[in-house]
Amino acid sequence: MKEFVFLYPDTETIGQEIENQGRFWDGGIETFREKYKSTLNACIDARYRQKGFGINYVMLDDGVISDVIELCSSDRIIRVGMDTKTHTTKQPDGTYPYPDQDFILDQLNGVRVIVVAGFHMWDCVEKLAKRAYERDLDVLVDEDLTE
């Protein structure tokens, strides 16, 4: 089984990315938003959906998926067992809690090949890819589709 996993495409995160990058776009933020939306969805479709990958969007439990994402009926939204407040509340030791990577991967029953993308490359994406590798999965990070 082959699965594409896009981490945390929620309204706030994608909105911030569009605001940050759209400032430099000649046509303005709204033009950039439409280009971002069409390019992201075309890439997911051509690289993964059309090649037999299951498409999975991983979300915090209270997250709302961005309307930039064009969901298809076969796509899955995977909840991580943690809400935004918990994830963003500093612990006494100064760290922040993260979702259990095994909990996420366990929801991809029978996966052997996994491609990870989304937000954020050297944080959540890296953590999930590393754990998939440790579980002996054939794993790749799609850097083009990763912030």
Side-chain angles (χ1 to χ4, degrees), residues 55-67:
I55 307 299
N56 304 274
Y57 297 100
V58 175
M59 302 286 296
L60 291 168
D61 291 357
D62 59 345
V64 175
I65 196 159
S66 171
D67 63 357

Side-chain angles (χ1 to χ4, degrees), residues 22-33:
R23 293 177 298 150
F24 305 106
W25 192 258
D26 286 339
I29 290 175
E30 278 309 308
T31 304
F32 179 77
R33 183 182 198 286

Side-chain angles (χ1 to χ4, degrees), residues 56-105:
N56 304 274
Y57 297 100
V58 175
M59 302 286 296
L60 291 168
D61 291 357
D62 59 345
V64 175
I65 196 159
S66 171
D67 63 357
V68 165
I69 301 298
E70 295 173 355
L71 289 172
C72 292
S73 60
S74 60
D75 296 351
R76 293 179 50 204
I77 296 176
I78 295 175
R79 299 293 175 172
V80 300
M82 180 181 287
D83 64 16
T84 303
K85 184 176 181 190
T86 303
H87 179 55
T88 58
T89 300
K90 190 183 284 189
Q91 297 177 323
D93 66 359
T95 64
Y96 292 89
Y98 281 87
D100 182 337
Q101 305 307 308
D102 286 319
F103 181 76
I104 296 168
L105 293 169

